[in-house]
Amino acid sequence: MRIIFMGTPDFAVPTLTEIVANGHEVVAVYTRAPKPAGRGQEERKSPIHLAAENFGIPVFTPRSLKGAEEQGVFALHDADVAVVVAYGLLLPKPILDAPRNGCLNLHGSLLPRWRGAAPIQRAVMAGDPRTGVMVMQMDEGLDTGPVGLVDEMPIGPDMTSGELHDRMMLVGADLMVRALAALERGSLHFTPQAADGATYASKIEKAEARIDWSRPAQDVHNHIRGLSPFPGAWFEIELNGKPVRVKVLRSTLGEGSGPAGTVIGDDLTIACGQGAVRLISVQREGKGAMDAAAFLRGTGSLIGKAV
């Protein structure tokens, strides 16, 4: 089929790769415009932009798709379907209606739970035991369209959002290719989402990242793994008379109790409002990631220290 692909981050790259590998004609790739990054503030192309160039596919980077000119260009691609994976721009009705079979979106949750910008992180932060990827027919709502295919998966008790992201992007790529095959055969059928149970996965804000040790240990653990590896949940501890910020990249539930936010074990176990969390991998400000033992070798015993 003639396909327009619309995506931006690395999450979308396996889907584009699988679509090309399965012999479809990707006539255009739409992605977010390059952004200044790094010390030199040089413009950096998105992962999908780089992948499309590698495949020799024309790339389009409009700032918006609301204008008649951009909508006209989009329609001229004469696509059978558009595939959308974490694109990042609003698709107005003329864009949704332009491909003969509309726009298919790959979404990382079990809709209607976790509609919106950060479904993977929010599912982990909420302690959900299961999630999945879905292929959805897009409409004008926020992730409200009917669902064609779904693949469910468990969320392990210590799984981070980064690990879930990496699993989802591979499972999702396979799911989208299967959806396109079914669409081509005329056997892709859509089911409206449930009317109840909708939740919204709002964008992760920087202010959310600081760890609140007064919460129960399970909540703290979910918060840590939900924000790992990015942006990273963090705490401050005084070392050599100065406050030092420490990101926590991996944790598990610990044993013991004490005043919330106090180190209670030489394995970097920290008391919470109820129970405790043991830190497994951390990253001190300005340093690389390290395990708890390596961190403690640089600080000495921290038992009784407040964080």
Side-chain angles (χ1 to χ4, degrees), residues 67 74 91 141 202 240:
F74 190 89
L91 304 190
S202 56
N240 299 319

Side-chain angles (χ1 to χ4, degrees), residues 195-208:
D196 299 325
T199 56
Y200 291 88
S202 56
K203 181 180 177 181
I204 303 295
E205 301 292 342
K206 287 183 179 180
E208 295 182 75

Side-chain angles (χ1 to χ4, degrees), residues 22-76:
N22 277 266
H24 295 289
E25 182 186 3
V26 181
V27 296
V29 162
Y30 280 69
T31 189
R32 297 296 296 268
K35 291 183 177 180
R39 290 184 178 180
Q41 289 294 287
E42 294 181 4
E43 290 200 334
R44 183 175 297 171
K45 296 176 180 178
S46 74
I48 278 293
H49 195 143
L50 295 172
E53 288 184 337
N54 187 52
F55 289 127
I57 303 169
V59 178
F60 297 80
T61 59
R63 302 284 178 180
S64 169
L65 290 167
K66 295 179 181 179
E69 183 177 349
E70 288 296 347
Q71 292 170 7
V73 171
F74 190 89
L76 286 174

Side-chain angles (χ1 to χ4, degrees), residues 210-217 220-221 224 234-236 246 248 251 258-262 268-279 306-307:
R210 184 161 192 166
I211 298 170
D212 180 0
W213 301 106
S214 69
R215 298 170 66 190
V220 172
H221 175 51
I224 289 168
W234 60 273
F235 64 91
E236 277 188 349
V246 180
V248 184
S251 64
T262 302
L268 210 50
T269 295
I270 300 177
C272 300
Q274 297 173 16
V277 166
R278 179 165 62 87
L279 309 188
V307 299

Side-chain angles (χ1 to χ4, degrees), residues 248-262:
V248 184
L249 302 177
R250 186 173 294 279
S251 64
T252 192
L253 294 178
E255 296 182 354
S257 62
T262 302

Side-chain angles (χ1 to χ4, degrees), residues 154-179:
I155 303 176
D158 290 338
M159 179 180 274
T160 67
S161 63
E163 292 167 335
L164 183 58
H165 167 282
D166 291 351
R167 174 164 169 72
M168 272 190 173
M169 70 180 185
L170 299 179
V171 173
D174 176 71
L175 190 71
M176 181 59 77
V177 166
R178 286 192 277 133

